[in-house]
PDB file of all heavy atoms in Angstrom:
ATOM      1  N   GLN A 159     121.871  99.122 119.048  1.00 93.00           N
ATOM      2  CA  GLN A 159     122.808 100.220 118.737  1.00 93.00           C
ATOM      3  C   GLN A 159     123.510 100.639 120.010  1.00 93.00           C
ATOM      4  O   GLN A 159     122.913 101.264 120.896  1.00 93.00           O
ATOM      5  CB  GLN A 159     122.086 101.395 118.121  1.00 93.00           C
ATOM      6  CG  GLN A 159     121.456 101.047 116.777  1.00 93.00           C
ATOM      7  CD  GLN A 159     120.842 102.293 116.128  1.00 93.00           C
ATOM      8  OE1 GLN A 159     121.546 103.092 115.530  1.00 93.00           O
ATOM      9  NE2 GLN A 159     119.566 102.465 116.308  1.00 93.00           N
ATOM     10  N   SER A 160     124.833 100.332 120.100  1.00 93.00           N
ATOM     11  CA  SER A 160     125.581 100.592 121.349  1.00 93.00           C
ATOM     12  C   SER A 160     125.391 101.987 121.907  1.00 93.00           C
ATOM     13  O   SER A 160     125.172 102.203 123.100  1.00 93.00           O
ATOM     14  CB  SER A 160     127.079 100.436 121.123  1.00 93.00           C
ATOM     15  OG  SER A 160     127.369  99.195 120.588  1.00 93.00           O
ATOM     16  N   MET A 161     125.523 102.960 120.994  1.00 94.00           N
ATOM     17  CA  MET A 161     125.537 104.331 121.492  1.00 94.00           C
ATOM     18  C   MET A 161     124.184 104.728 122.053  1.00 94.00           C
ATOM     19  O   MET A 161     124.065 105.368 123.107  1.00 94.00           O
ATOM     20  CB  MET A 161     125.933 105.278 120.379  1.00 94.00           C
ATOM     21  CG  MET A 161     126.627 106.512 120.889  1.00 94.00           C
ATOM     22  SD  MET A 161     127.365 107.428 119.509  1.00 94.00           S
ATOM     23  CE  MET A 161     128.879 106.554 119.224  1.00 94.00           C
ATOM     24  N   LYS A 253     110.372 106.256 120.412  1.00 90.00           N
ATOM     25  CA  LYS A 253     111.562 107.046 120.745  1.00 90.00           C
ATOM     26  C   LYS A 253     111.354 108.526 120.460  1.00 90.00           C
ATOM     27  O   LYS A 253     112.165 109.352 120.827  1.00 90.00           O
ATOM     28  CB  LYS A 253     112.774 106.524 119.989  1.00 90.00           C
ATOM     29  CG  LYS A 253     113.238 105.152 120.477  1.00 90.00           C
ATOM     30  CD  LYS A 253     114.424 104.611 119.703  1.00 90.00           C
ATOM     31  CE  LYS A 253     114.796 103.196 120.178  1.00 90.00           C
ATOM     32  NZ  LYS A 253     115.791 102.538 119.298  1.00 90.00           N
ATOM     33  N   ASP A 254     110.243 108.850 119.820  1.00 87.00           N
ATOM     34  CA  ASP A 254     109.852 110.252 119.599  1.00 87.00           C
ATOM     35  C   ASP A 254     109.287 110.896 120.846  1.00 87.00           C
ATOM     36  O   ASP A 254     109.186 112.116 120.908  1.00 87.00           O
ATOM     37  CB  ASP A 254     108.724 110.295 118.526  1.00 87.00           C
ATOM     38  CG  ASP A 254     109.277 110.592 117.166  1.00 87.00           C
ATOM     39  OD1 ASP A 254     110.431 110.991 117.085  1.00 87.00           O
ATOM     40  OD2 ASP A 254     108.555 110.346 116.197  1.00 87.00           O
ATOM     41  N   ALA A 255     108.876 110.093 121.794  1.00 88.00           N
ATOM     42  CA  ALA A 255     108.213 110.625 122.986  1.00 88.00           C
ATOM     43  C   ALA A 255     109.235 111.364 123.893  1.00 88.00           C
ATOM     44  O   ALA A 255     110.426 111.056 123.829  1.00 88.00           O
ATOM     45  CB  ALA A 255     107.541 109.508 123.774  1.00 88.00           C
ATOM     46  N   ASP A 303     113.182  93.229  98.554  1.00 80.00           N
ATOM     47  CA  ASP A 303     114.501  93.597  98.035  1.00 80.00           C
ATOM     48  C   ASP A 303     114.595  93.519  96.516  1.00 80.00           C
ATOM     49  O   ASP A 303     115.675  93.628  95.951  1.00 80.00           O
ATOM     50  CB  ASP A 303     115.596  92.772  98.693  1.00 80.00           C
ATOM     51  CG  ASP A 303     115.519  91.305  98.300  1.00 80.00           C
ATOM     52  OD1 ASP A 303     114.551  90.945  97.552  1.00 80.00           O
ATOM     53  OD2 ASP A 303     116.393  90.519  98.657  1.00 80.00           O
ATOM     54  N   GLY A 304     113.447  93.321  95.854  1.00 80.00           N
ATOM     55  CA  GLY A 304     113.461  93.290  94.388  1.00 80.00           C
ATOM     56  C   GLY A 304     113.794  91.943  93.810  1.00 80.00           C
ATOM     57  O   GLY A 304     114.084  91.819  92.622  1.00 80.00           O
ATOM     58  N   GLU A 309     113.520  83.601  92.217  1.00 91.00           N
ATOM     59  CA  GLU A 309     114.479  83.665  93.350  1.00 91.00           C
ATOM     60  C   GLU A 309     113.762  83.474  94.690  1.00 91.00           C
ATOM     61  O   GLU A 309     114.249  82.796  95.581  1.00 91.00           O
ATOM     62  CB  GLU A 309     115.171  85.016  93.334  1.00 91.00           C
ATOM     63  CG  GLU A 309     116.205  85.132  92.202  1.00 91.00           C
ATOM     64  CD  GLU A 309     116.691  86.559  92.035  1.00 91.00           C
ATOM     65  OE1 GLU A 309     115.938  87.498  92.330  1.00 91.00           O
ATOM     66  OE2 GLU A 309     117.828  86.757  91.609  1.00 91.00           O
ATOM     67  N   ARG A 335      98.481  98.435  94.381  1.00 88.00           N
ATOM     68  CA  ARG A 335      98.375  98.249  92.939  1.00 88.00           C
ATOM     69  C   ARG A 335      99.478  97.377  92.427  1.00 88.00           C
ATOM     70  O   ARG A 335      99.461  96.883  91.302  1.00 88.00           O
ATOM     71  CB  ARG A 335      98.401  99.604  92.211  1.00 88.00           C
ATOM     72  CG  ARG A 335      97.146 100.368  92.353  1.00 88.00           C
ATOM     73  CD  ARG A 335      97.419 101.822  92.119  1.00 88.00           C
ATOM     74  NE  ARG A 335      98.592 102.212  92.901  1.00 88.00           N
ATOM     75  CZ  ARG A 335      99.044 103.435  92.919  1.00 88.00           C
ATOM     76  NH1 ARG A 335      98.460 104.363  92.238  1.00 88.00           N
ATOM     77  NH2 ARG A 335     100.076 103.736  93.680  1.00 88.00           N
ATOM     78  N   ASN A 336     100.532  97.218  93.220  1.00 88.00           N
ATOM     79  CA  ASN A 336     101.656  96.385  92.777  1.00 88.00           C
ATOM     80  C   ASN A 336     102.417  95.909  94.003  1.00 88.00           C
ATOM     81  O   ASN A 336     102.099  96.291  95.142  1.00 88.00           O
ATOM     82  CB  ASN A 336     102.562  97.153  91.817  1.00 88.00           C
ATOM     83  CG  ASN A 336     102.981  98.495  92.401  1.00 88.00           C
ATOM     84  OD1 ASN A 336     103.393  98.556  93.564  1.00 88.00           O
ATOM     85  ND2 ASN A 336     102.842  99.585  91.623  1.00 88.00           N
ATOM     86  N   ARG A 342     105.323  98.470 100.896  1.00 88.00           N
ATOM     87  CA  ARG A 342     105.356  99.732 101.614  1.00 88.00           C
ATOM     88  C   ARG A 342     104.179  99.858 102.601  1.00 88.00           C
ATOM     89  O   ARG A 342     104.349 100.197 103.776  1.00 88.00           O
ATOM     90  CB  ARG A 342     105.313 100.931 100.645  1.00 88.00           C
ATOM     91  CG  ARG A 342     105.356 102.277 101.383  1.00 88.00           C
ATOM     92  CD  ARG A 342     105.201 103.421 100.419  1.00 88.00           C
ATOM     93  NE  ARG A 342     103.990 103.421  99.626  1.00 88.00           N
ATOM     94  CZ  ARG A 342     102.809 103.809 100.062  1.00 88.00           C
ATOM     95  NH1 ARG A 342     102.672 104.229 101.341  1.00 88.00           N
ATOM     96  NH2 ARG A 342     101.740 103.780  99.297  1.00 88.00           N
TER      97      ARG A 342
ATOM     98  N   GLN B 194     114.419 112.346 117.209  1.00 93.00           N
ATOM     99  CA  GLN B 194     113.754 111.497 118.192  1.00 93.00           C
ATOM    100  C   GLN B 194     114.029 112.004 119.604  1.00 93.00           C
ATOM    101  O   GLN B 194     115.130 111.863 120.115  1.00 93.00           O
ATOM    102  CB  GLN B 194     114.198 110.040 118.060  1.00 93.00           C
ATOM    103  CG  GLN B 194     113.838 109.424 116.708  1.00 93.00           C
ATOM    104  CD  GLN B 194     114.159 107.956 116.666  1.00 93.00           C
ATOM    105  OE1 GLN B 194     113.421 107.105 117.081  1.00 93.00           O
ATOM    106  NE2 GLN B 194     115.317 107.657 116.120  1.00 93.00           N
ATOM    107  N   SER B 195     113.017 112.531 120.268  1.00 93.00           N
ATOM    108  CA  SER B 195     113.202 113.191 121.551  1.00 93.00           C
ATOM    109  C   SER B 195     113.951 112.312 122.565  1.00 93.00           C
ATOM    110  O   SER B 195     114.879 112.767 123.239  1.00 93.00           O
ATOM    111  CB  SER B 195     111.846 113.501 122.235  1.00 93.00           C
ATOM    112  OG  SER B 195     111.065 114.279 121.385  1.00 93.00           O
ATOM    113  N   MET B 196     113.510 111.052 122.657  1.00 94.00           N
ATOM    114  CA  MET B 196     114.085 110.223 123.699  1.00 94.00           C
ATOM    115  C   MET B 196     115.559 109.962 123.429  1.00 94.00           C
ATOM    116  O   MET B 196     116.381 109.971 124.331  1.00 94.00           O
ATOM    117  CB  MET B 196     113.329 108.911 123.784  1.00 94.00           C
ATOM    118  CG  MET B 196     113.308 108.359 125.193  1.00 94.00           C
ATOM    119  SD  MET B 196     112.154 107.006 125.325  1.00 94.00           S
ATOM    120  CE  MET B 196     110.601 107.829 125.566  1.00 94.00           C
ATOM    121  N   LYS B 288     125.674 104.968 115.181  1.00 90.00           N
ATOM    122  CA  LYS B 288     125.119 104.769 116.508  1.00 90.00           C
ATOM    123  C   LYS B 288     125.422 103.351 117.041  1.00 90.00           C
ATOM    124  O   LYS B 288     125.156 103.041 118.200  1.00 90.00           O
ATOM    125  CB  LYS B 288     123.607 105.006 116.499  1.00 90.00           C
ATOM    126  CG  LYS B 288     123.260 106.501 116.264  1.00 90.00           C
ATOM    127  CD  LYS B 288     121.755 106.739 116.244  1.00 90.00           C
ATOM    128  CE  LYS B 288     121.493 108.225 115.933  1.00 90.00           C
ATOM    129  NZ  LYS B 288     120.053 108.472 115.683  1.00 90.00           N
ATOM    130  N   ASP B 289     125.944 102.494 116.174  1.00 87.00           N
ATOM    131  CA  ASP B 289     126.408 101.180 116.581  1.00 87.00           C
ATOM    132  C   ASP B 289     127.733 101.230 117.343  1.00 87.00           C
ATOM    133  O   ASP B 289     128.107 100.248 117.990  1.00 87.00           O
ATOM    134  CB  ASP B 289     126.706 100.341 115.323  1.00 87.00           C
ATOM    135  CG  ASP B 289     125.501  99.479 114.973  1.00 87.00           C
ATOM    136  OD1 ASP B 289     124.622  99.316 115.848  1.00 87.00           O
ATOM    137  OD2 ASP B 289     125.452  98.961 113.844  1.00 87.00           O
ATOM    138  N   ALA B 290     128.451 102.333 117.226  1.00 88.00           N
ATOM    139  CA  ALA B 290     129.790 102.411 117.828  1.00 88.00           C
ATOM    140  C   ALA B 290     129.663 102.532 119.350  1.00 88.00           C
ATOM    141  O   ALA B 290     128.651 102.970 119.858  1.00 88.00           O
ATOM    142  CB  ALA B 290     130.540 103.591 117.264  1.00 88.00           C
ATOM    143  N   ASP B 338     107.905 104.045  96.762  1.00 80.00           N
ATOM    144  CA  ASP B 338     106.659 103.730  97.444  1.00 80.00           C
ATOM    145  C   ASP B 338     105.695 102.983  96.542  1.00 80.00           C
ATOM    146  O   ASP B 338     104.525 102.812  96.893  1.00 80.00           O
ATOM    147  CB  ASP B 338     105.998 104.991  98.009  1.00 80.00           C
ATOM    148  CG  ASP B 338     105.533 105.917  96.905  1.00 80.00           C
ATOM    149  OD1 ASP B 338     105.785 105.612  95.725  1.00 80.00           O
ATOM    150  OD2 ASP B 338     104.925 106.951  97.220  1.00 80.00           O
ATOM    151  N   GLY B 339     106.125 102.550  95.364  1.00 80.00           N
ATOM    152  CA  GLY B 339     105.276 101.750  94.497  1.00 80.00           C
ATOM    153  C   GLY B 339     104.417 102.622  93.582  1.00 80.00           C
ATOM    154  O   GLY B 339     103.472 102.125  92.992  1.00 80.00           O
ATOM    155  N   GLU B 344     101.984 108.423  87.938  1.00 91.00           N
ATOM    156  CA  GLU B 344     101.914 109.184  89.183  1.00 91.00           C
ATOM    157  C   GLU B 344     103.200 109.933  89.460  1.00 91.00           C
ATOM    158  O   GLU B 344     103.203 111.069  89.897  1.00 91.00           O
ATOM    159  CB  GLU B 344     101.614 108.236  90.333  1.00 91.00           C
ATOM    160  CG  GLU B 344     100.191 107.707  90.344  1.00 91.00           C
ATOM    161  CD  GLU B 344     100.000 106.567  91.299  1.00 91.00           C
ATOM    162  OE1 GLU B 344     100.964 105.816  91.539  1.00 91.00           O
ATOM    163  OE2 GLU B 344      98.879 106.403  91.800  1.00 91.00           O
ATOM    164  N   ARG B 370     118.043  94.557  88.471  1.00 88.00           N
ATOM    165  CA  ARG B 370     117.190  93.917  87.438  1.00 88.00           C
ATOM    166  C   ARG B 370     115.857  94.567  87.325  1.00 88.00           C
ATOM    167  O   ARG B 370     115.115  94.306  86.386  1.00 88.00           O
ATOM    168  CB  ARG B 370     117.021  92.426  87.787  1.00 88.00           C
ATOM    169  CG  ARG B 370     118.274  91.608  87.526  1.00 88.00           C
ATOM    170  CD  ARG B 370     118.223  90.365  88.364  1.00 88.00           C
ATOM    171  NE  ARG B 370     117.811  90.729  89.753  1.00 88.00           N
ATOM    172  CZ  ARG B 370     117.718  89.852  90.713  1.00 88.00           C
ATOM    173  NH1 ARG B 370     117.966  88.563  90.467  1.00 88.00           N
ATOM    174  NH2 ARG B 370     117.345  90.241  91.915  1.00 88.00           N
ATOM    175  N   ASN B 371     115.484  95.335  88.326  1.00 88.00           N
ATOM    176  CA  ASN B 371     114.192  96.003  88.264  1.00 88.00           C
ATOM    177  C   ASN B 371     114.219  97.202  89.198  1.00 88.00           C
ATOM    178  O   ASN B 371     115.221  97.438  89.920  1.00 88.00           O
ATOM    179  CB  ASN B 371     113.071  95.020  88.658  1.00 88.00           C
ATOM    180  CG  ASN B 371     113.339  94.345  89.995  1.00 88.00           C
ATOM    181  OD1 ASN B 371     113.700  94.994  90.966  1.00 88.00           O
ATOM    182  ND2 ASN B 371     113.226  93.014  90.036  1.00 88.00           N
ATOM    183  N   ARG B 377     116.516  99.463  96.387  1.00 88.00           N
ATOM    184  CA  ARG B 377     117.184  98.867  97.535  1.00 88.00           C
ATOM    185  C   ARG B 377     118.695  99.079  97.492  1.00 88.00           C
ATOM    186  O   ARG B 377     119.327  99.465  98.482  1.00 88.00           O
ATOM    187  CB  ARG B 377     116.879  97.384  97.605  1.00 88.00           C
ATOM    188  CG  ARG B 377     117.544  96.666  98.793  1.00 88.00           C
ATOM    189  CD  ARG B 377     117.312  95.176  98.785  1.00 88.00           C
ATOM    190  NE  ARG B 377     117.810  94.499  97.618  1.00 88.00           N
ATOM    191  CZ  ARG B 377     119.088  94.213  97.372  1.00 88.00           C
ATOM    192  NH1 ARG B 377     120.008  94.585  98.230  1.00 88.00           N
ATOM    193  NH2 ARG B 377     119.428  93.590  96.271  1.00 88.00           N
TER     194      ARG B 377
END
Side-chain angles (χ1 to χ4, degrees):
Chain A
Q159 297 185 81
S160 305
M161 210 170 278
K253 292 179 184 169
D254 264 345
D303 67 356
E309 288 168 331
R335 287 158 312 183
N336 52 47
R342 179 184 60 79
Chain B
Q194 296 185 84
S195 304
M196 211 170 278
K288 292 179 183 171
D289 265 345
D338 66 356
E344 289 167 329
R370 287 157 313 182
N371 53 47
R377 180 185 59 77

